[in-house]
Amino acid sequence: MPSAMATFETDGFQVRPERSPLGPMGLEIATPPNSMALLKQLLSKHFFLSVKRKRPFSSLLPVLLWSVLVAILYNTFESIGGDDPSTIRLRMLLEVIILPLYLTMLVAQSMAVAVADIVSEKEDKMKVIQDVYGLPASVYWFSWYIYYTLVAVGCIAIVFVVLFGVQPIFSGLNVVILIIVWYLAFMQQFVVVCVLSALFDTVKIATMASSFLNLLLMGLASAMQGFL
């Protein structure tokens, strides 16, 4: 019976390849990359596409515009004259309702590009291809978390420059607690985007759902501020 393994003859010598313990006919199975290498590649891809699509500009510019608008409104409300209780109450009511509403819109607008970034990969079947090639879901989502954490840091820096330096709205507040609150606000929006990406397959529908949800949350927040 002929041997199941081929025999080759070279210069009069018969050479018989040894069977590899990892695969037949000496073929070695490639070692898959570790999680850290995959994370680095995903982050490189995120930053490359963000620069190509001008995502940093789309995230940071709304933060700058809304921060300047909040500073102007605060200065306008503070310029309302009169020391009578009704005028003071009106001024405080405008500040506690309108300013938090605009700050919430600041966060929502800066993270709106996350819907296009994450849902578009699902719409273009890139997420499916990555799953087929064995990309762990934990590495995939952690890469997006790191990327948008860096985006949030840039946004928070702009907010502090405008609302701490130019117009000291946050003066007298604990800086550490304020940074934590702002960071959690951006990460809350990121979690909303992740949930929407799991529920919707197209960027258009996910964007509409995100806008409706943010509008609802901003309305509830403003109503609570006015009630309190």
Side-chain angles (χ1 to χ4, degrees), residues 115-129:
V115 179
D117 285 337
I118 298 177
V119 181
S120 63
E121 288 199 347
K122 184 178 180 182
E123 184 177 5
D124 298 336
K125 307 303 180 183
M126 287 299 299
K127 182 65 171 60
V128 177
I129 295 175

Side-chain angles (χ1 to χ4, degrees):
M1 178 179 294
S3 174
M5 184 175 294
T7 302
F8 303 94
E9 184 173 343
T10 305
D11 295 333
F13 295 94
Q14 290 186 347
V15 180
R16 188 173 186 179
E18 297 181 357
R19 186 181 298 272
S20 171
L22 297 179
M25 298 299 296
L27 299 177
E28 296 184 358
I29 301 176
T31 303
N34 55 35
S35 298
M36 185 58 65
L38 292 173
L39 182 61
K40 291 180 180 179
Q41 290 296 323
L42 285 174
L43 287 175
S44 300
K45 186 262 295 183
H46 295 339
F47 283 108
F48 172 77
L49 292 179
S50 67
V51 173
K52 184 178 180 181
R53 299 170 180 172
K54 300 180 181 180
R55 295 300 193 214
F57 181 78
S58 301
S59 297
L60 300 179
L61 182 61
V63 174
L64 178 60
L65 295 178
W66 285 107
S67 298
V68 171
L69 181 59
V70 168
I72 294 174
L73 288 175
Y74 176 80
N75 187 57
T76 302
F77 296 153
E78 286 294 315
S79 64
I80 298 177
D83 295 332
D84 56 291
S86 60
T87 304
I88 296 176
R89 178 174 176 78
L90 175 62
R91 182 168 61 242
M92 293 180 60
L93 187 64
L94 291 174
E95 291 179 356
V96 300
I97 292 179
I98 296 180
L99 296 186
L101 177 64
Y102 278 64
L103 292 175
T104 306
M105 295 176 68
L106 178 152
V107 177
Q109 288 293 323
S110 64
M111 297 295 286
V113 295
V115 179
D117 285 337
I118 298 177
V119 181
S120 63
E121 288 199 347
K122 184 178 180 182
E123 184 177 5
D124 298 336
K125 307 303 180 183
M126 287 299 299
K127 182 65 171 60
V128 177
I129 295 175
Q130 293 171 352
D131 293 339
V132 169
Y133 277 92
L135 177 65
S138 58
V139 177
Y140 175 80
W141 290 112
F142 189 59
S143 68
W144 281 119
Y145 168 76
I146 294 177
Y147 173 76
Y148 278 105
T149 294
L150 297 177
V151 173
V153 169
C155 295
I156 293 172
I158 294 176
V159 170
F160 270 68
V161 169
V162 177
L163 302 183
F164 244 116
V166 179
Q167 182 67 51
I169 297 177
F170 296 145
S171 60
L173 300 178
N174 189 302
V175 178
V176 176
I177 295 178
L178 195 58
I179 291 176
I180 293 175
V181 169
W182 274 102
Y183 174 75
L184 293 178
F186 282 100
M187 290 300 102
Q188 179 191 25
Q189 191 67 25
F190 172 72
V191 171
V192 170
V193 173
C194 294
V195 172
L196 292 176
S197 68
L199 297 177
F200 302 102
D201 296 329
T202 61
V203 176
K204 183 178 181 180
I205 298 178
T207 303
M208 293 174 59
S210 177
S211 300
F212 175 76
L213 183 60
N214 286 324
L215 183 62
L216 179 63
L217 293 176
M218 285 186 289
L220 291 175
S222 298
M224 291 179 62
Q225 287 281 26
F227 177 76
L228 296 175

